[in-house]
Amino acid sequence: MTGYHHLLECSTPFGLLTLAAMADSGLLGNGPEDRTLLVVSTTPAPESRRPFHEDPVFARALSRFGRVVDWNSLVAPWHPRHWCPAPADAVVLERLLRRLLQVDEDDLSLVVESLHMPPSRTMATIFSTASVTVYADGLMIYGPTRNDLPESITGRLARLVMLDLLDGVRPRLLHEHRLPLVDLPFDAFRAVVQELVDHSPDLPAPASGTAVVLGQYLGQLGLVTTAEEEEQHGAMLRTAAAAGASRVVFKPHPAAVGDPRRGLGVTAAALGIEVEIFDSPVLAEVLVQHLRPVAVVSAFSTGLFTARALQGCRVLSHDTGAFLRRLAPLANSNRVPAAICDATVESWDETTGALRAPLLPLERPADVQRLVDAIAYCIQPDLLPELRGAAEQMAAEQPDILRRSVPAPRLFHLGLPGGHPGTLWVRRLPAPVLDAVRPRVPGIARRRAQVGRLAAPLVRRLRSTRAVRP
Amino acid sequence: MPSASPSASVVVAARDVLPYVDDLVGGLRRNAADDVEFVVVDDASRDGTRERLGDLLVHLPNSRLIEHPEPRGLSAARNTGLAASSGEVLLMIDGDDWTGPGYVAGLVRAMATLGVDFVKTGHVLEHGGRRTRVLPPTGAIGRPLVPRDHILPSHRSTMVDFTYAHSSAYSRRLLDAGLLHFREDFRTAEDRDWSWRLMLGADSLAAVDVPGYFYRRGVATSLTSIGDERQLDFLGAMRAIREILSRDPQGDDFMPKALRTEFALVYSHHERRRRLPQHLRDRMRRESQELLRSVPTPLFTSVARGMGPRRAAFLAMRRAGAA
């Protein structure tokens, strides 16, 4: 898009690299003077950490942007995840912010990460006439739109820019708005990563037989306890060993708390492999491109898929199915990334002590597309009715795979094969009662109307069982 | 006015705050400087706070960790840290809170330029990302004030009610004069009599606008949510305030203000009495009745009447032994 001034939201190093690659690919105007980077930190206590972009390692990536503005300082003392002005204030703030940022161009382009919440939502609200580009911050774009967006924003949606990490599988984020997809060239992204490889001091030395293990902050997401997380780390080492690694570079998640060293040493000694802990804000993609490892292991990190797509690495996961079962609510935005990883990545089975081939190999993208579509439909049937066919097909033909991501009561309430209404006492209800609560037409609003007010408490009860039983 | 920047000590009291330790120390690191020391007191944490503090403080310049072998409470932890500090300017931070960049330097600069005994700034109340600003109850920002002039009126919140020990900076003079010492027998409401002593004992103060203190609310281990006898320490704190005022030349002027706060606390604790077991409720009724009865009737009536009919009626009944 030329002739525009681009306001670019950036909250992670991965986002910064994506934006830099977009700039290099000509997707963001002609030069730095056309771009203003709005850097945001959305961690729970952002004031207590130095913003990532102040690390000199990112200086070259930042050189694409004529101006770099710290959004947190602009909205201080409020948290950028929560602050959004009232419409009456937004009009004044737009005028003031345009003056402050010196963007008085009529043609303003806003490039953001995830429109369903602040700060992206806040920016789209304030810059009320800007065209809106969404760029992928990982696998979450394969999941459906979290909340329906107001027409005042969707009417301005211009494009969705993404790395095609799944060999042509189409994302379902904002799918209902028929948004043009723009593929970010892999070469451009690799070139930006290479800049960081060349300018990151203290990267571990490449060696044959090296695997990379990417820790995740599942403990902080409340998905596992610290003890389980440590056990998980041990299992990831066994996975790497099973893939033939003799040395493991373990990269803890930058947001993770606690000491990853606990538990790793003992496991490594038992396996006879060497472990190096690389606790650094350096991106997983940088580490992988530098090391060219024999394998990359993680729970469901986007890093697995960038390693596979960009570097052609063998990737493995461990026990992603267990996380999937615990994820709540259904619309948890980690569900689709975890489901993709669970289905498409070779995994380590702790009980058999062997590697398990993927259920849906990525070599057959149409199968993966069907899974993505089926889950997206189950989460957002009202937004994505045209994906019902995929869901029906999946539920009929590969129910075991779908059921790993979508609980049976949900399938039941959507009238899909393979579902049941939940707990045993409910299943024992007389058939006419069950028929009454089972919707004939999908759609929560219409279902309410059909079942009627008297049955509503029962429906709520039934729907609440989702969280109890997988 | 002194031109060189004075040295500062940041005193941190922590107990069982493991989930917040990384934010705490991260915030301290953003305030690290050559002339800033950090004295962190762990009050016998049992959740691994001490170990995590030990790991993180190794990398924080001018910091040290002091450990209480047995838990002694927030007051004692602050006293320990203050006693071990050496800076000319003293700051206090609670272990579940955090600070942003420029916070310590901003307060130290305010102390140096204003030359007052202590400065107080606002803070941000943080509740799972939702935030509220809490500001000093005065518009006289950034100039020296006489503390005694900012105690009244009784019907409005004033600097004496702004009891937060954190989000402030204090001159070492106050510590040497014994004015910063917290009474360790008060495990809650410990800042009430402390604030009165400070306001009556210090010669000067200033309210300033230095952002950067984040005060976490809704923390499970927070004392305000615990329903045991520690909740009743406010009664002792109120008796202590009356004693302080009885010895003060202006005590009679300030007494209605102190009584109003006391009455309001009696009422609000009564409203929340259900968190307490029966024997503590009985004790609270008995002791608060004694407190109310010891106030001469005309003074009681004038203070209670200013608090609105609902609270005035309750207080009169409690005083008469009927509530």
Side-chain angles (χ1 to χ4, degrees):
Chain A
M1 282 163 75
T2 48
Y4 280 84
H5 189 86
H6 298 273
L7 284 180
L8 312 151
E9 181 206 2
C10 174
S11 69
T12 60
F14 186 82
L16 175 59
L17 265 53
T18 307
L19 290 170
M22 282 170 68
D24 293 353
S25 309
L27 295 172
L28 300 175
N30 295 322
E33 66 282 0
D34 293 342
R35 307 174 193 130
T36 298
L37 193 71
L38 304 173
V39 186
V40 191
S41 171
T42 57
T43 56
E47 296 81 6
S48 69
R49 310 290 153 96
R50 192 170 72 145
F52 79 89
H53 71 283
E54 288 182 10
D55 190 323
V57 81
F58 292 114
R60 285 181 64 91
L62 290 171
S63 68
R64 276 93 171 171
F65 309 98
R67 213 169 4 199
V68 178
V69 176
D70 182 9
W71 182 260
N72 288 56
S73 314
L74 276 185
V75 308
W78 312 128
H79 194 285
R81 265 274 180 269
H82 289 264
W83 183 73
C84 196
D89 299 331
V91 58
V92 181
L93 284 164
E94 172 164 23
R95 188 177 309 124
L96 297 178
L97 275 177
R98 276 177 177 263
R99 268 182 216 171
L100 182 82
L101 301 172
Q102 295 162 20
V103 285
D104 35 23
E105 291 92 341
D106 288 336
D107 294 328
L108 192 61
S109 148
L110 187 62
V111 181
V112 297
E113 292 167 5
S114 49
L115 277 171
H116 68 272
M117 65 196 294
S120 309
R121 182 66 169 267
T122 306
M123 293 170 188
T125 304
I126 292 177
F127 297 104
S128 59
T129 57
S131 90
V132 177
T133 295
V134 177
Y135 72 97
D137 57 352
L139 293 182
M140 286 187 191
I141 56 158
Y142 291 96
T145 313
R146 185 90 155 262
N147 317 101
D148 202 6
L149 298 165
E151 166 62 23
S152 58
I153 292 175
T154 57
R156 296 183 274 136
L157 284 172
R159 54 187 179 163
L160 176 61
V161 181
M162 56 176 283
L163 283 168
D164 179 18
L165 296 177
L166 299 182
D167 304 358
V169 174
R170 302 328 266 167
R172 290 310 175 212
L173 178 72
L174 302 172
H175 173 72
E176 63 278 17
H177 301 293
R178 308 286 172 259
L179 206 52
L181 297 177
V182 178
D183 278 336
L184 183 59
F186 284 177
D187 284 340
F189 194 84
R190 276 191 290 252
V192 177
V193 171
Q194 190 59 41
E195 270 181 21
L196 277 182
V197 171
D198 296 341
H199 292 88
S200 296
D202 312 325
L203 287 175
S208 63
T210 299
V212 170
V213 172
L214 303 172
Q216 283 184 269
Y217 61 124
L218 304 166
Q220 242 186 1
L221 291 173
L223 295 182
V224 294
T225 65
T226 312
E228 284 173 317
E229 185 132 35
E230 283 168 18
E231 172 50 35
Q232 172 84 5
H233 291 161
M236 285 180 177
L237 285 193
R238 288 190 281 280
T239 312
S246 54
R247 170 202 185 214
V248 164
V249 175
F250 180 89
K251 184 182 184 311
H253 192 281
V257 289
D259 187 358
R261 283 158 193 83
R262 275 194 295 247
L264 279 182
V266 185
T267 316
L271 291 168
I273 58 174
E274 187 192 331
V275 176
E276 201 172 315
I277 292 171
F278 183 62
D279 194 356
S280 150
V282 165
L283 272 167
E285 286 73 16
V286 172
L287 189 62
V288 168
Q289 186 155 326
H290 171 67
L291 288 176
R292 312 274 166 148
V294 293
V296 180
V297 183
S298 184
F300 56 94
S301 165
T302 300
L304 286 178
F305 292 86
T306 50
R308 197 195 70 91
L310 297 166
Q311 308 298 333
C313 289
R314 180 180 179 188
V315 295
L316 302 103
S317 69
H318 162 66
D319 209 16
T320 316
F323 297 120
L324 263 176
R325 282 194 294 279
R326 291 185 205 188
L327 273 182
L330 184 74
N332 188 312
S333 46
N334 285 308
R335 182 172 306 276
V336 169
I340 291 171
C341 189
D342 176 53
T344 67
V345 172
E346 194 180 357
S347 65
W348 168 256
D349 190 331
E350 192 84 341
T351 47
T352 61
L355 290 174
R356 175 175 67 79
L359 300 163
L360 295 175
L362 270 170
E363 288 70 43
R364 295 204 302 274
D367 291 357
V368 181
Q369 183 77 65
R370 199 169 64 168
L371 174 67
V372 164
D373 290 354
I375 302 173
Y377 173 79
C378 290
I379 297 174
Q380 289 287 20
D382 292 341
L383 285 183
L384 301 165
E386 72 275 23
L387 299 183
R388 182 170 174 90
E392 281 175 351
Q393 222 184 342
M394 192 85 203
E397 292 169 22
Q398 293 174 306
D400 295 348
I401 299 179
L402 186 60
R403 281 282 305 279
R404 293 174 75 85
S405 321
V406 182
R410 184 65 178 180
L411 298 177
F412 172 81
H413 288 292
L414 292 170
L416 290 169
H420 62 70
T423 46
L424 271 179
W425 74 266
V426 177
R427 280 193 248 175
R428 287 192 190 122
L429 288 173
V433 178
L434 283 181
D435 281 347
V437 295
R438 185 202 288 268
R440 278 159 195 85
V441 188
I444 286 162
R446 276 166 290 174
R447 184 189 327 155
R448 280 255 169 78
Q450 277 182 345
V451 172
R453 262 179 309 154
L454 283 175
L458 179 62
V459 174
R460 268 200 298 280
R461 191 93 183 239
L462 290 171
R463 286 166 65 202
S464 72
T465 58
R466 280 205 316 258
V468 184
R469 279 181 64 93
Chain B
M1 238 171 253
S3 56
S5 175
S7 62
S9 296
V10 177
V11 171
V12 183
R15 178 175 178 199
D16 292 344
V17 288
L18 186 62
Y20 314 116
V21 169
D22 285 53
D23 293 342
L24 167 74
V25 180
L28 299 182
R29 189 173 298 123
R30 298 204 79 187
N31 282 282
D34 287 345
D35 47 7
V36 176
E37 70 162 353
F38 300 98
V39 183
V40 183
V41 182
D42 177 76
D43 190 35
S45 294
R46 290 178 304 179
D47 66 346
T49 295
R50 189 178 60 242
E51 292 76 10
R52 187 70 186 149
L53 279 172
D55 288 350
L56 293 173
L57 290 178
V58 170
H59 307 290
L60 181 68
N62 303 330
S63 71
R64 74 199 132 115
L65 178 60
I66 301 176
E67 299 170 17
H68 279 176
E70 297 293 326
R72 290 169 51 200
L74 176 62
S75 298
R78 283 173 174 166
N79 287 341
T80 300
L82 288 169
S85 70
S86 61
E88 294 160 68
V89 172
L90 308 170
L91 288 82
M92 286 179 253
I93 293 177
D94 291 344
D96 46 1
D97 298 342
W98 78 91
T99 48
Y103 169 74
V104 172
L107 284 181
V108 170
R109 198 179 317 116
M111 284 290 284
T113 50
L114 295 166
V116 291
D117 285 346
F118 66 109
V119 296
K120 294 186 95 65
T121 184
H123 61 259
V124 171
L125 199 61
E126 150 87 29
H127 190 83
R130 279 170 223 295
R131 296 176 167 191
T132 322
R133 283 177 91 196
V134 180
L135 299 175
T138 174
I141 298 292
R143 55 191 165 86
L145 308 171
V146 176
R148 283 173 181 266
D149 296 346
H150 289 264
I151 292 176
L152 297 175
S154 336
H155 67 277
R156 265 210 318 256
S157 182
T158 64
M159 291 303 279
V160 78
D161 305 306
F162 200 67
T163 58
Y164 308 100
H166 58 66
S167 52
S168 312
Y170 310 90
S171 161
R172 176 160 288 277
R173 292 192 294 278
L174 297 176
L175 182 68
D176 295 340
L179 290 169
L180 293 185
H181 187 267
F182 290 88
R183 275 185 61 165
E184 299 183 10
D185 49 339
F186 299 152
R187 293 149 299 180
T188 58
E190 76 292 330
D191 50 1
R192 296 276 176 182
D193 72 297
W194 180 86
S195 176
W196 274 98
R197 269 187 283 135
L198 192 59
M199 290 294 286
L200 295 174
D203 294 327
S204 56
L205 94 107
V208 294
D209 180 22
V210 175
Y213 194 91
F214 296 86
Y215 177 33
R216 223 185 277 267
R217 207 174 72 177
V219 173
T221 54
S222 164
L223 272 178
T224 46
S225 60
I226 296 172
D228 64 18
E229 62 169 2
R230 288 176 286 186
Q231 291 300 327
L232 299 194
D233 286 350
F234 82 95
L235 294 160
M238 295 302 115
R239 281 189 286 264
I241 292 171
R242 286 202 201 173
E243 207 179 299
I244 294 164
L245 286 177
S246 72
R247 281 179 276 125
D248 191 273
Q250 279 179 285
D252 289 347
D253 300 338
F254 295 142
M255 190 59 88
K257 171 84 183 173
L259 288 179
R260 191 181 163 107
T261 308
E262 178 182 314
F263 292 2
L265 279 173
V266 167
Y267 182 76
S268 74
H269 276 267
H270 170 72
E271 287 227 295
R272 289 175 291 154
R273 66 191 177 281
R274 282 188 185 79
R275 64 194 167 151
L276 297 173
Q278 190 59 46
H279 73 280
L280 290 180
R281 288 190 214 175
D282 293 343
R283 203 185 112 199
M284 184 166 83
R285 187 184 316 114
R286 207 168 51 242
E287 291 190 23
S288 62
Q289 190 189 356
E290 279 165 23
L291 268 176
L292 296 178
R293 280 189 177 163
S294 65
V295 183
T297 305
L299 182 56
F300 172 85
T301 313
S302 86
V303 172
R305 202 184 285 151
M307 297 177 68
R310 193 189 173 90
R311 289 193 289 180
F314 163 78
L315 290 163
M317 280 170 60
R318 166 67 47 102
R319 188 166 187 258

